[in-house]
Amino acid sequence: MRHYPALFQPGRLGPRTTRNRVWMTAHATEFTTDHTYSATHAAYYGERAAKGVAVITMEATAVHPTSQPRTGVVLAYEPSVVESYRTVAAAVQPHGTLLLAQLWHRGRETDSIVSRLPVWAPSPVPCAVYREIPHEMTAAEIDELVVGYARSAALAVDGGLDGVEIHGLAHGYLLGQFLSPATNHRTDDYGGSLDNRFRLVRRIIERVRAAVPATMVVGIRINGDDGDVENGLRTADWAEIARRIAATAAVDYISVSQGTYLDRMLIYGASPTPMGHQITATSSIRSAVGELPVVVVGRITTPDMAEGVLLRGDADFVGMARQLIADADWVRKAAEGRANDIRPCVGANHCIASIARTALSCIHNPAVGREAVLAAAPATPSAPATPSTRASVRSVAVVGAGPAGLRAALTAAEIGREVTLFERADTTGGQVRWLGAVESYREWLGITDWLTDQLLKAGVTIRLGHAATAADLAGQFDAYIIATGSSPRRDGWTALRPARWAPGAPAVPGTDQWNVFTVQDVLGEQVNLPASVLVVDDLGDRRALAVAEHLAGGARRRTVEIATRLTHVGAGLTDSHDLPSVTGRLRRLGVRLSAGVELVEIKDDRVTLADVHNGERQQREPVDAVVLVTGQRADDGLLRELSAIERQVVGVGDCVAPRRVFDAVWEGELAARRLVGVSAASVS
């Protein structure tokens, strides 16, 4: 019996048939260096096509020079894109996967830093994120935009793709700005009535369809809901827009998303945004468009959820981006009935944060963007097995069962080595286990729980409650991977006081009191804190926010304040875009957020802070407990000791330098490959 029959039923997109109903929807990658698709794109999309994805919409491509939010944007209007389309198509289409280009203009949701051109919009209303006052488009510029879409569509045809998707209506981009009364204040033929506001969309649909042969697919992406915005478009409004699109008879499908940059968690909600949060609105759109196929997105991660969407008739295709980033093999595993083997997307939004400064990556899939060398673990080493090479490694000891150790152990086992994993705690997970103690981050346990489950299936020996020593390990294994993590600092100093970080330097006065704790105490050891708590944060990442939410929420209901010397609380969450939603949760719990201050002294139940700009002292009293989130110390003792007596020893993760989950997983992957002789020299 075939697993998930609805999911694996062929689908119809205008003139084309799809092999199943799984659709990889468009998302930014930053894989380009010259505004065309690269060999990295080809490997990335090709891997997902080879594993069974039916349709892939490549990342959004600019139809005009005024739509360049980053340097890593593909330019759909430049002839140079054609050959790169052919490169990606050659990697994707032989697997039976349809490949589409997404044509897009951001409108006001960008700035002029990259393009050095004025931002275009229907009206001079700035974006809340980019804050640049746009240029109100003239009639001639509107015509130029229509030509840009048509020209870009024609180049996609020349590139041998299977079709194009018109983007710009969803997510508050330019065409959506024309449609919404909140952002379109025009009084000409493109403003006022819905007929007028829809005029530009209609023109673009007509011109794109004319540029694309009837043998190819034309689709369009819209919103199902803009969110709670004054004069914004809600589901009923988008249903009417969808009816008008369907009535043109010029498109072969509608892909539905949600949100604008006024609430980006509607677009790509991070944990704890509910799974399938966009299904209800999409179902309304589908009811409005007759037989026109509809694609649904929005944290649909499991085959069971996808099957349910199709069986209920909420949509005709199930779109995924982040879940197929997390596991390229999702389709094959679903088809084989191995849903539990799917690496889960945990809603960390590391993928979104990564493209702010580098190419796309996943918090716990190290192969993303490195598919050519890391997509599958090789079964044999790349070098001949001789006593003088690393290929002679047969047994591997891994010490530490946090994300670094778990990933290293699994990779070594996949390569065919005999692996023993030691962990001094009674459970695996390391600091991810601490974070998972907070309800909003419970999904993050999917990182380490999935790795643990895969290790058990691979037959790895896991020895919990065993604090391994050099004496235990020396001479017992061919290679050693040390992933012993890090421990919280307890001295209270921030990075503003580098001299005080020296070994033996005195701590902030009062940090040795009984009522001073760390993240490990609160989330790891579950210490029961008193009623009033001050969290001192020097990192700006999730740890302080998670501790505060844990203490202020549920039945605990502590009075909590976060104090940081940074410009704002949670500064490190800016790139993942979920800081507003996290801040909202904290404020609803009554957490006080104080920025620009550092810890000076703790004395009994009084805490002294100082303004980092003018030195002015502030008192907090009474404070029953203080939680320090001021950094970690690498637990590298075993690494140093074992390295002195064994040759094949490598440290990974926090025991080398305390950092992020992604770094731990990445280093665990590479360390296992290198120790057993599998080349990773080309991976960077």
Side-chain angles (χ1 to χ4, degrees):
M1 176 180 176
R2 179 181 288 247
H3 299 279
Y4 308 108
L7 190 62
F8 289 98
Q9 180 181 5
R12 192 74 182 169
L13 288 177
R16 301 296 183 93
T17 300
T18 67
R19 55 178 165 168
N20 58 54
R21 303 303 181 96
V22 181
W23 195 307
M24 187 174 198
T25 52
H27 52 281
T29 67
E30 294 296 301
F31 290 160
T32 184
T33 57
D34 62 357
H35 299 296
T36 69
Y37 285 97
S38 65
T40 303
H41 282 107
Y44 175 71
Y45 293 128
E47 178 71 14
R48 276 108 187 128
K51 297 298 175 59
V53 173
V55 187
I56 294 175
T57 305
M58 293 184 289
E59 65 183 274
T61 55
V63 300
H64 191 272
T66 52
S67 185
Q68 294 188 57
R70 309 174 307 277
T71 57
V73 170
V74 174
L75 305 181
Y77 58 86
E78 290 284 1
S80 57
V81 77
V82 171
E83 191 58 38
S84 74
Y85 280 147
R86 293 172 182 161
T87 298
V88 180
V92 169
Q93 291 169 336
H95 300 291
T97 300
L98 301 184
L99 184 66
L100 311 179
Q102 190 182 68
L103 313 180
W104 151 90
H105 196 295
R106 291 173 70 101
R108 71 186 187 126
E109 291 181 344
T110 187
D111 54 33
S112 59
I113 292 174
V114 174
S115 71
R116 304 192 182 188
L117 296 170
V119 172
W120 280 9
S123 301
V125 180
C127 170
V129 174
Y130 286 92
R131 308 177 302 282
E132 185 165 312
I133 305 296
H135 161 68
E136 183 173 311
M137 296 173 66
T138 66
E141 288 164 342
I142 290 174
D143 292 343
E144 186 178 334
L145 177 71
V146 174
V147 170
Y149 269 95
R151 173 182 173 82
S152 299
L155 292 174
V157 173
D158 291 345
L161 303 185
D162 296 293
V164 299
E165 180 175 286
I166 298 167
H167 192 22
L169 288 76
H171 304 168
Y173 293 136
L174 181 58
L175 304 185
Q177 292 159 31
F178 270 91
L179 288 168
S180 175
T183 49
N184 184 346
H185 305 158
R186 302 175 74 96
T187 57
D188 63 3
D189 289 346
Y190 293 93
S193 68
L194 179 56
D195 283 342
N196 283 354
R197 288 182 279 119
F198 187 72
R199 189 182 308 276
L200 176 56
V201 174
R202 183 186 300 277
R203 288 185 62 193
I204 288 171
I205 290 173
E206 291 171 351
R207 289 293 300 274
V208 168
R209 182 73 269 182
V212 177
T215 55
M216 295 175 61
V217 176
V218 172
I220 193 165
R221 186 160 233 209
I222 71 172
N223 263 1
D225 192 349
D226 285 0
D228 188 13
V229 178
E230 184 180 5
N231 290 336
L233 300 171
R234 305 309 300 262
T235 299
D237 302 307
W238 280 108
E240 174 58 29
I241 292 166
R243 276 190 287 268
R244 290 172 179 247
I245 292 170
T248 68
V251 301
D252 299 309
Y253 71 87
I254 293 178
S255 178
V256 185
S257 186
Q258 280 189 12
T260 73
Y261 279 25
L262 289 172
D263 186 352
R264 288 194 280 189
M265 286 302 99
L266 284 177
I267 304 173
Y268 31 61
S271 175
T273 301
M275 301 288 186
H277 65 104
Q278 298 186 20
I279 293 174
T280 300
T282 300
S283 184
S284 296
I285 300 298
R286 188 178 187 273
S287 298
V289 297
E291 298 300 314
L292 189 64
V294 169
V295 186
V296 65
V297 298
R299 302 209 70 207
I300 300 171
T301 60
T302 69
D304 287 332
M305 180 181 293
E307 183 79 357
V309 164
L310 298 172
L311 290 175
R312 290 191 304 272
D314 294 321
D316 303 279
F317 292 86
V318 177
M320 304 175 191
R322 288 173 295 176
Q323 180 55 67
L324 288 170
I325 295 170
D327 196 337
D329 211 6
W330 191 97
V331 177
R332 184 173 66 86
K333 291 175 181 177
E336 294 174 355
R338 298 193 296 118
N340 290 337
D341 286 335
I342 292 172
R343 181 192 285 108
C345 171
V346 299
N349 276 6
H350 175 84
C351 50
I352 293 169
S354 66
I355 61 171
R357 287 189 280 179
T358 184
L360 179 71
S361 59
C362 172
I363 196 168
H364 70 136
N365 179 3
V368 172
R370 305 293 192 276
E371 281 76 14
V373 291
L374 292 183
T380 58
S382 59
T386 66
S388 61
T389 68
R390 290 178 177 176
S392 62
V393 170
R394 292 291 176 263
S395 63
V396 180
V398 180
V399 184
L406 292 170
R407 181 66 257 179
L410 181 56
T411 299
E414 288 173 339
I415 293 170
R417 299 310 185 262
E418 182 180 331
V419 180
T420 303
L421 175 63
F422 299 88
E423 168 56 48
R424 64 184 175 184
D426 293 330
T427 59
T428 63
Q431 294 183 45
V432 174
R433 183 72 55 190
W434 305 353
L435 191 64
V438 184
E439 183 62 34
S440 294
Y441 297 100
R442 191 65 47 83
E443 280 187 67
W444 286 51
L445 291 174
I447 299 170
T448 51
D449 285 353
W450 180 83
L451 285 167
T452 302
D453 184 59
Q454 295 301 301
L455 286 173
L456 293 172
K457 291 178 179 179
V460 170
T461 300
I462 302 177
R463 299 181 62 180
L464 299 176
H466 185 110
T469 66
D472 289 336
L473 302 175
Q476 303 300 309
F477 299 89
D478 297 324
Y480 304 85
I481 299 175
I482 309 304
T484 44
S486 61
S487 300
R489 297 181 62 93
R490 295 177 179 269
D491 55 22
W493 296 115
T494 73
L496 295 176
R497 310 291 175 183
R500 305 299 180 93
W501 286 55
V508 171
T511 52
D512 58 348
Q513 288 185 178
W514 71 269
N515 60 342
V516 179
F517 303 92
T518 67
V519 175
Q520 181 175 359
D521 297 327
V522 179
L523 299 182
E525 306 300 330
Q526 294 290 304
V527 172
N528 187 24
L529 267 60
S532 173
V533 183
L534 176 69
V535 180
V536 178
D537 178 34
D538 190 50
L539 304 180
D541 63 15
R542 296 185 186 275
R543 278 169 278 197
L545 308 180
V547 165
E549 186 173 347
H550 178 72
L551 292 172
R556 288 168 293 275
R557 290 293 177 183
R558 272 56 167 191
T559 300
V560 181
E561 176 182 359
I562 303 176
T564 181
R565 54 96 181 173
L566 301 171
T567 56
H568 58 276
V569 172
L573 276 65
T574 302
D575 290 342
S576 58
H577 301 332
D578 63 331
L579 180 58
S581 63
V582 175
T583 300
R585 291 203 303 270
L586 293 174
R587 290 200 182 279
R588 286 190 292 274
L589 291 171
V591 176
R592 178 180 177 183
L593 309 178
S594 302
V597 293
E598 67 172 332
L599 179 65
V600 173
E601 182 184 45
I602 306 168
K603 188 173 183 180
D604 298 325
D605 64 350
R606 184 176 70 249
V607 177
T608 302
L609 305 173
D611 188 296
V612 298
H613 303 291
N614 61 19
E616 180 179 323
R617 299 295 176 95
Q618 305 175 16
Q619 305 291 330
R620 300 288 192 271
E621 188 176 15
V623 175
D624 300 323
V626 176
V627 180
L628 300 175
V629 190
T630 53
Q632 303 281 117
R633 297 183 189 274
D635 290 337
D636 59 0
L638 179 61
L639 174 62
R640 294 176 182 273
E641 189 176 357
L642 202 58
S643 296
I645 56 178
E646 290 283 352
R647 292 180 57 198
Q648 303 281 25
V649 181
V650 64
V652 295
D654 276 14
C655 77
V656 177
R659 287 156 293 157
R660 294 157 288 273
V661 174
F662 167 79
D663 301 291
V665 172
W666 173 252
E667 289 180 0
E669 173 77 18
L670 265 60
R673 288 172 174 265
R674 287 170 176 157
L675 270 184
V676 300
V678 176
S679 175
S682 60
V683 181
S684 60

